[in-house]
Structures are given as C-alpha cells and as structure tokens.
Amino acid sequence: MHDDFTERGMGMKKIALFGGTFDPIHRGHIETALRLADALALDSVILMPTHVPPHKVKESLTPAADRLAMCRIAAEPYAKITVSDMEITRGGASFTVDTLTELSEQYPDTAWYLFTGADMFCTMRSWYRFADIAAMATLCTVPRDGTDGQRLREYAATLQQQGARCFVADAAVTTVSSSDVRERLASNEPIDGLLPDGVEDYIRAHGLYSTAAAQTGDRDEQFRAIIRARLGDYRYHHSLCVADEAKRLAKRYGGDEKKAYTAGLLHDIMKDTDPNTQLQILDDFAILLDGVERQVKKLWHARVGAVFIDKILHVGDAEIVNAVRYHTTGRAGMSLLEKIVFVADFTSADRNYPDVDEIRRLSDISLEETMEYALAYTIHDLLNRGQAIHPDTLAVYNELILAKMAGGQTHE
Ligand code: DGI
Ligand code: FE
Ligand code: FE
C-alpha cells in the first residue's frame, strides 16, 4: 500500500521521523524503527524525543535530557537509527509540521517518512496543518497487534483519498509499552528483554522511575551511585565530604545524623547539569524562579536539586528536600537540618578558601555564629563582585543579627 514517490530522484535519501516521549525508550521502539527502515529501504530513522508540556505530565516526568540520553544509548548499535534533540532544544510545544520543515532544511534532497504509532496514526487528519504534513512526508504506521492492521489500512485509504501517501507495515512488532516498563521498574519487577542494552543500567544509575513504595536496600548507597553518575569527579568528592561533615555537625548539634548525611550527599546533585536542562526540569514541574534566581544561574541547582530529589528520586522527606532547596541562599526560619547542610557546604573537608580554618573553628562553637560568618563572607564576596544578593540570604543574615541584638538587650 506504499505509494512510491514519482519525483524521487536517484540521489535522494529516504529518512523517517519517529517522534515520541520515549519515557523510556524500549525494544518495541527500536524494533519498529528497524522494521520501517527495512520495509521502506530507508537510509535512516531519526528518533525525536518530544518536549512534554507540564499539563501533560502524569505521574512520571523524566527530564528531557535523560530521555534523550537513553535514546542515544538505545540507538548506538544501529547505523540507521539516529537521535535528534531538535524538539527538546526548541522547548515548548512542537508541531510536527515545524519539525519536518526544519529537518527538510537540515537534510535537503530527502524523501521524508513520518512514523506514528497506531493510535496517533488514526488521529492524523486532525493534526495541525495536516495537509502540509501530508505534502511533506509519507505517513507510516505499524500495527500494534494482529487485529488492528485492517483498521489502519482502512484509515490509510481515507487519508490517501485526500492525497496523502501512506504506508502500513504488514506485521505487528513485539508489543511493549513504556507505561508497563515504568510500572515494572517502579515495583521492582523484572523487565527482562523489554529495554535495549544499556538503558536499564542508565535508568538504575540515574535513579529514574523509582517510587517511594518500591524503595528497598541502602538508599544512601543508591544515592551515592546516582550522584556518581550525575556529577563530575570534583563535585562528587565535594558531595561525599559535605555528607560526612553534615553528619558530624548533626552529631555535634543534636540533629538527625542520617538525614544530614543524605541531604549532604544530594545537595549539589544538579550542580553539573547543563543550565538549559536545569531550566527544562524547572519548567517540567511548573516551578517559577523569582527575580534574582532568574538572573543568577548559580542559584538554580538548589531549586532543581530539590524538585529532582522530591519528584524523581522520591526521597520522601520534606526536611531533606528543603535542606537542598535552601543550601545556597539560606532563608529566614531555617530548620536545624537546613542550617547543618548550609554550614557543612562551607566547612567540608574539601574546602580550602582563605577563611576556612576560622569558619571550621566557629562550627565547633555555634551553628548560628558559623552561619553569620559564612553569610557575611558570601555577602562581602557578592558585593565585591557586583552581584545581586538573594532576598533569602539577606533575610537569614538579618534574622541572625537581630536575634543576637535581642539576646544582648535582654541581658542588659
Ligand atoms: O554549590 P556549591 O559551590 O558547593 O556552593 P553553593 O551552593 O553555596 O553555591 C555557591 C555559589 O552561589 C557561589 O558562587 C555564590 C553563589 N551565591 C550564593 N548566594 C548568592 C549567590 N549568588 C548571588 N548572586 N546571590 C546570592 O544571594
Ligand atoms: Fe550548591
Ligand atoms: Fe556544595
């Protein structure tokens, strides 16, 4: 049922666009891509992970950068399967017609094929600028199981009556669904054979698709593996040092040593993540930055880290989430855990800035004195460099000074 292009010249390449959330990419996707490439003698299939708008987000929302990375791992063994970050980089909602237009500019002299899953295929006619899509690409699908081939061919026939070129593959591929994969991962069920090589390892190493219910074993050990995968050597070492230091401070000041250690491990989890990816994650979870945060990229990792450990790693502890969220700026009314992580970030064993000995000495005497010193140090530094000071930083500084003044007055 494939209408050949009459205009297709000898030198023309044949490329299929295969869009999807790929959350996560599974063997069914790869088989489909290979099947299409084979059936249509394609030169390549481009996997295009889509940007997922926040209102479409259900229980799972895997950062776009991770969905992209998994696609790249899955495609790696296959010369004909490539991966594009065009829609993810573009952000917002992408229309297929725009993606096809941009691809046509990138790859001129190409006969385009647009692959969609069976369900999407049957909604084609209502897609934005369907006529333009149909003019640009052959519309392709693969039956989901043995029963829907007929339905797809009938729908394809109606599209062809409107001038579209269509192709319905004649055999179903193995049915795998991403939601099934997510559920299995979330409940620690085996996912044997459902994922392309390397994807499961990536998922486990990066802490994706876990749920609070499915958590077993030594969480700190898992968190160490996750930050190892997400951070460079320097930042990983720093995080281990902050965790140890936070635990020490918790012991010294009567805090929860275990929570302090975990919060220390996770506090900089997003520090080495590309700023655009960080913005995407904030966007995914509909988090708005305030005026200073918008301008100062260095503040983002605390907000992104907090939402990531909350919504994706499911640390399941609001105190730890807040300790990560406020570890850079501080805030008025900080909890003991928040103060411990804030201070540990200054006094950890890896730090070697000029005042580190003084601040370590203070950290054995008073958490508040240490906070005041650290904040004054940061504020001085920001003033010297002509940087904006976050209102939360001023708020906690003032709170400490005012408390000291009030304390002083009551003794007079
Ligand atoms: O992530 P770390 O390097 O371990 O430490 P951090 O999370 O405290 O980040 C420190 C950086 O953030 C440092 O370069 C100073 C900057 N920073 C902290 N508070 C403010 C700030 N930058 C601005 N502009 N305003 C702040 O209030
Ligand atoms: Fe930090
Ligand atoms: Fe840090």
Side-chain angles (χ1 to χ4, degrees):
M1 145 162 291
H2 169 233
D3 294 350
D4 230 2
F5 277 127
T6 43
E7 73 271 29
R8 196 168 60 228
M10 287 302 285
M12 251 180 151
K13 291 232 182 269
K14 297 165 76 176
I15 307 180
L17 167 62
F18 183 168
T21 51
F22 299 115
D23 190 15
I25 188 161
H26 54 62
R27 279 201 190 278
H29 295 130
I30 294 296
E31 271 187 39
T32 301
L34 294 173
R35 168 79 45 103
L36 274 180
D38 197 41
L40 294 164
L42 301 177
D43 293 283
S44 66
V45 177
I46 300 177
L47 303 179
M48 180 72 69
T50 54
H51 175 90
V52 181
H55 64 271
K56 287 274 187 68
V57 174
K58 287 172 238 92
E59 79 294 343
S60 143
L61 199 107
T62 312
D66 287 314
R67 290 186 288 114
L68 186 63
M70 290 187 282
C71 284
R72 292 196 165 126
I73 290 168
E76 217 271 328
Y78 306 101
K80 286 198 172 179
I81 307 181
T82 61
V83 181
S84 167
D85 64 358
M86 184 186 286
E87 290 196 5
I88 281 170
T89 304
R90 189 189 291 144
S94 280
F95 290 110
T96 298
V97 67
D98 296 330
T99 302
L100 274 174
T101 305
E102 202 174 324
L103 284 171
S104 310
E105 284 156 17
Q106 248 176 41
Y107 304 91
D109 301 319
T110 298
W112 287 97
Y113 295 78
L114 174 66
F115 170 77
T116 53
D119 293 343
M120 291 299 268
F121 184 77
C122 292
T123 66
M124 269 283 177
R125 231 175 339 197
S126 58
W127 284 25
Y128 176 64
R129 288 175 57 192
F130 167 71
D132 293 323
I133 294 174
M136 273 190 277
T138 302
L139 312 175
C140 309
T141 194
V142 176
R144 183 160 280 207
D145 51 47
T147 63
D148 64 353
Q150 184 58 26
R151 179 176 67 108
L152 292 173
R153 277 186 287 274
E154 282 167 14
Y155 189 82
T158 67
L159 295 179
Q160 281 168 321
Q161 276 159 21
Q162 296 175 27
R165 295 177 302 270
C166 294
F167 173 79
V168 180
D170 46 31
V173 293
T174 328
T175 42
V176 184
S177 84
S178 291
S179 61
D180 180 42
V181 171
R182 289 198 300 271
E183 277 163 29
R184 281 163 185 260
L185 287 165
S187 48
N188 285 326
E189 287 171 49
I191 46 163
D192 31 54
L194 297 183
L195 294 174
D197 288 345
V199 171
E200 183 176 359
D201 287 345
Y202 184 94
I203 287 170
R204 301 224 185 266
H206 290 76
L208 302 175
Y209 307 109
S210 76
T211 57
Q215 286 165 9
T216 53
D218 182 345
R219 287 296 274 161
D220 285 338
E221 192 182 308
Q222 293 157 11
F223 292 147
R224 275 193 298 272
I226 292 167
I227 61 168
R228 177 62 284 197
R230 292 189 178 273
L231 297 173
D233 292 348
Y234 173 85
R235 190 58 48 181
Y236 174 66
H237 175 64
H238 166 69
S239 300
L240 295 182
C241 292
V242 171
D244 287 338
E245 175 67 358
K247 186 175 172 183
R248 183 189 75 85
L249 290 170
K251 192 176 169 78
R252 168 73 182 76
Y253 292 103
D256 184 322
E257 292 176 50
K258 187 161 170 31
K259 283 189 189 190
Y261 183 84
T262 303
L265 276 184
L266 296 175
H267 83 288
D268 273 342
I269 187 166
M270 284 291 136
K271 183 86 176 186
D272 287 349
T273 296
D274 162 72
N276 286 324
T277 301
Q278 293 191 47
L279 276 188
Q280 243 156 26
I281 295 172
L282 291 172
D283 188 46
D284 287 344
F285 291 100
I287 287 171
L288 298 176
L289 296 177
D290 63 40
V292 175
E293 283 172 335
R294 262 199 299 282
Q295 297 294 321
V296 183
K297 286 186 186 168
K298 279 182 176 175
L299 301 179
W300 298 352
H301 73 287
R303 295 293 309 264
V304 184
V307 71
F308 186 85
I309 68 166
D310 185 16
K311 300 285 201 260
I312 293 177
L313 299 187
H314 302 282
V315 290
D317 188 301
E319 282 191 87
I320 294 176
V321 172
N322 278 334
V324 172
R325 173 165 176 179
Y326 295 106
H327 86 267
T328 305
T329 59
R331 65 162 166 170
M334 287 170 85
S335 70
L336 177 58
L337 188 68
E338 289 170 31
K339 289 178 184 173
I340 284 170
V341 174
F342 185 93
V343 168
D345 204 7
F346 279 85
T347 55
S348 58
D350 61 305
R351 294 297 201 194
N352 61 0
Y353 54 91
D355 290 20
V356 74
D357 289 333
E358 172 61 6
I359 201 161
R360 282 193 184 123
R361 188 186 67 78
L362 282 174
S363 76
D364 275 327
I365 301 165
S366 151
L367 212 46
E368 282 69 29
E369 290 287 331
T370 319
M371 293 276 300
E372 184 191 320
Y373 191 94
L375 285 159
Y377 183 91
T378 300
I379 292 168
H380 267 296
D381 181 56
L382 293 170
L383 289 175
N384 286 337
R385 293 189 293 118
Q387 302 286 305
I389 296 164
H390 193 277
D392 284 344
T393 307
L394 289 175
V396 58
Y397 181 76
N398 284 341
E399 188 183 61
L400 289 162
I401 299 294
L402 293 172
K404 206 156 78 170
M405 287 168 64
Q409 277 159 13
T410 54
H411 289 293
E412 274 167 14

